[in-house]
Amino acid sequence: MVTKKTGGLSIFAGPKPWKELLATARDFGKIVDKPQDADAIMWFGRDPQQIVGRWSSKLQWLQLPDAGIEKWLVPEVLDGDFVTTSAAGAYGSQVAEHALALILAGRHELVRAARSTYWDPDNLHVRTLDAMSVLIIGAGGIGTRLGFLLHNVGCSVEYATRHERLVSPDTFSIAVEDLYRRLADFDVVVLACPSTSETRGMVNHAFLRQMK
């Protein structure tokens, strides 16, 4: 296990020497200039090819910048003799708030209102979030945070996960296999699930046809 103030780790933090990233790295050890000299790499670049394979056999820990790790599933990482950690949970609040902003924009028809050159309330159908029913597909950090935000503005929130499970003390999720028969029950459906071979293409013509 890597712990703070060990003092023994040589850490490469990159690709840019961001002040915040370097400050965090110094909590765990000393900074080195090249990934080949590092026991640990704290990487904040988005292109795996910038760093994959540039380390040496002394590497003990690779910190990835993403919550979703699909693009990092390459042999150099999978077969490496080191611990790899993702940024799961780091972006939950900001992505959930972004999703909430998009829902508000849709319910309040902000795009149409912003483009209008005059006030036309008869053609602007604003709907509040109060009592809105929402299905969130995925109950990870982003999905549950969004559910919390929506619940606090009066929405009815349910989740769909791979298998039915307890998401919170009083909330069971819907199994994905039961999605189609339930889609028509919701005003809004949010995808907050990982991008995998099972989830890509989930929202297709048949899916949309079942919605309100």
Side-chain angles (χ1 to χ4, degrees):
M1 179 179 291
V2 179
T3 58
K4 283 190 175 185
K5 301 299 184 185
T6 58
L9 287 177
S10 298
I11 301 172
F12 176 79
K16 296 180 180 179
W18 290 352
K19 180 174 64 176
E20 296 84 356
L21 187 59
L22 292 175
T24 300
R26 289 191 183 99
D27 281 338
F28 292 88
K30 64 179 182 179
I31 305 299
V32 295
D33 296 327
K34 298 178 181 179
Q36 296 91 333
D37 298 329
D39 303 309
I41 294 174
M42 300 177 69
W43 187 251
F44 213 75
R46 299 301 174 184
D47 181 3
Q49 296 309 312
Q50 288 184 293
I51 189 64
V52 166
R54 292 180 57 199
W55 48 71
S56 70
S57 59
K58 66 182 292 187
L59 185 67
Q60 300 175 35
W61 172 36
L62 173 64
Q63 172 63 52
L64 303 179
D66 303 305
I69 61 170
E70 294 80 15
K71 64 184 178 183
W72 295 93
L73 299 179
V74 296
E76 293 89 342
V77 174
L78 293 175
D79 300 333
D81 189 23
F82 49 81
V83 173
T84 303
T85 51
S86 76
Y91 309 111
S93 291
Q94 62 189 28
V95 177
E97 290 171 12
H98 185 81
L100 177 59
L102 293 175
I103 293 170
L104 278 166
R107 299 289 285 185
H108 287 255
E109 297 194 352
L110 292 187
V111 173
R112 178 184 292 187
R115 290 174 175 172
S116 179
T117 57
Y118 61 94
W119 177 240
D120 185 13
D122 292 335
N123 288 316
L124 195 63
H125 307 292
V126 174
R127 295 157 293 176
T128 69
L129 300 189
D130 188 42
M132 181 180 72
S133 59
V134 183
L135 174 65
I136 301 174
I137 302 176
I142 294 170
T144 52
R145 179 61 183 173
L146 176 60
F148 171 80
L149 296 174
L150 290 169
H151 178 77
N152 282 325
V153 293
C155 296
S156 170
V157 179
E158 292 189 52
Y159 299 90
T161 54
R162 182 179 298 176
H163 307 290
E164 181 182 314
R165 66 178 176 87
L166 189 65
V167 175
S168 66
D170 57 353
T171 304
F172 273 93
S173 64
I174 302 167
V176 167
E177 63 185 22
D178 296 325
L179 261 183
Y180 275 44
R181 67 178 183 83
R182 292 294 313 279
L183 284 173
D185 297 337
F186 301 98
D187 301 308
V188 172
V189 177
V190 179
L191 287 182
C193 51
S195 175
T196 68
S197 58
E198 294 178 338
T199 59
R200 281 190 290 272
M202 175 186 291
V203 180
N204 53 25
H205 179 71
F207 185 105
L208 295 173
R209 193 170 53 207
Q210 295 298 320
M211 294 178 62
K212 282 187 178 180

